Amino acid sequence: MRGSLSTRNITLLVAIAVALLFFWGLGSVPFLSVNEARRAVTVREMREAGSWLLPYMNGDLYLSKPPFFYWAGLVSTAVLGSLSEWSVRLPSALAAALCCFGTYLYGVRQAGRQVGLFAVVFLAANGAFSLFARRSEIEMLLTLLCFGALLAAWQFIFLQGRALWSRLSYVLLGCALLTKGPVCLLWVTAPILTYALIYRDARAKAYLCDGWGWLIALVLGSSWYVAVSVSQGWGIWASIISEDIVKKIDGQGAEAWYAYLLYLAGDFFPFWLIVFVQPRKFWAMIRARREAGMLLCCSLLPLLVFSLFTEKHGKYLLPVYPSMALLLAMHWSALLDELKGRWRKVLAVVPYVMLAGFVVFYMFVEARVLSHRVGGLEQVATLADGQPGQKAYTLGEPDIRLVYYMGRPVAPLTVAQLQSESRPAGLLFLQEPLAAELQNLASCQVGEINPYLKPHRSALLVRMGGDCR
């Protein structure tokens, strides 16, 4: 009974830690990355336009990504009543929490509560996973949809689930198509196909041959593309295919083929080291259990395929992280049950210490470490709020973070336009030091932003028009 109660208490503590990790202070830090601001600006402009079909960013049509994340942001904003860092990040935090819950349930069902707990800790105490759980980016929602599709497929394949599980998997796959496009097939369909070919599993083949399931996924996944094509013309996709697919596969400046191995080593440190402890036992487990073989396919196949792409980002592999966490947890738990003495204590304690460290960092350290970026963006928002109704401009192409915190579209201007007598009236954002030919604008400043994004960098917000010419 004591062991049971102890395990139950540990489960409760892990759940509290994960909730703090994903939700505490979620809106207290401004949007730090360009990608975060892109999602927030697009949600804002879709909300202001009352349009759920066509995403806009800084006043321009933005079709680079499908809209499922933006829809989630619109729903979150509507429920909370206002657009903010909290409301736009909330879908990612909820998706991360659901991923951990699904990982726990799968781990418990396959190998017991200890494996489920370790898998959740390995996932939450992970550099990339915890970061994207707290960011307004597409990847965490995509991870939930892909992992959910796999969980439903596993229910159908390994537990002799009804066809309803297969259909649910394809519904989630269709939503994933609306989140990131056809690339999601590399995280769901391709691993299951590989598993079916290796193990000649009849249930996996039945899943892959589910005609109604494929119809559901294709109708859901293509609905937005068809609607946009009808509205804007079919040629609208040519440039997007070139920029977002062709260049990522066969562009210039490719990173080393092993770049993703380095990302994984950093994100799963120190948990991945367990693979080198009795590695034969690890591979024996995979050979003996088909579920583990499926997890390995879900982990390795996307890694191999994405390593062939020119453009590499650690976040591209985020959808495989739940599968990797489960594999590591199975081996970790098996070794823990065999060990005694000091090493047993180490294996039992280290995961929870790592999780506590991540919680402490995001609760108390992150905002202080990034204060030079946080303060500048808050100053921009305060100054812009004091100048309502004014159009906004900047020298050169605007940083999309500036667009969000200015609270309005920001148009680019050249030095020649700023020196012209016909330059427009409105607010002008300039980074310091000012060029000699623009020094006269400093006398019309609304305020100074210091620091701006980096230490020892400052900027000015200047009023143009009227007496300030």
Side-chain angles (χ1 to χ4, degrees), residues 58-172:
N58 199 25
D60 296 325
L61 192 62
Y62 182 65
L63 301 177
S64 179
K65 297 291 184 292
F68 198 82
F69 179 86
Y70 306 133
W71 294 344
L74 288 168
V75 170
S76 173
T77 298
V79 170
L80 295 177
S82 64
L83 180 78
S84 64
E85 290 91 350
W86 173 266
S87 67
V88 183
R89 285 172 175 158
L90 184 58
S92 293
L94 289 173
L98 288 173
C99 275
C100 287
F101 183 65
T103 300
Y104 175 76
L105 290 181
Y106 184 82
V108 170
R109 179 167 291 179
Q110 293 300 318
R113 183 175 291 183
Q114 181 171 266
V115 169
L117 277 174
F118 280 141
V120 168
V121 173
F122 293 173
L123 195 57
N126 178 297
F129 192 89
S130 60
L131 176 70
F132 284 97
R134 301 175 58 87
R135 296 293 180 261
S136 61
E137 298 203 33
I138 290 171
E139 277 67 31
M140 190 54 68
L141 183 58
L142 176 69
T143 297
L144 172 64
L145 293 170
C146 291
F147 185 54
L150 288 171
L151 285 178
W154 285 329
Q155 185 78 19
F156 176 80
I157 295 169
F158 296 113
L159 299 179
Q160 304 299 308
R162 294 182 298 170
L164 181 63
W165 287 106
S166 177
R167 304 291 157 73
L168 175 60
S169 178
Y170 281 103
V171 167
L172 294 172

Side-chain angles (χ1 to χ4, degrees), residues 5 20 28 42 57 66-67 86 120 138 178 183 188 212 219 236 271 286-287 295 307 324 347 358 374 397 415 423 430:
L5 288 174
L20 291 173
S28 62
T42 303
M57 185 175 66
W86 173 266
V120 168
I138 290 171
L178 282 174
V183 70
V188 180
W212 283 108
V219 169
I236 194 79
F271 309 123
I286 292 175
R287 289 195 301 269
L295 289 173
S307 294
M324 290 186 173
L347 287 187
F358 274 85
V374 172
E397 288 298 320
V415 173
R423 70 186 180 198
L430 293 167

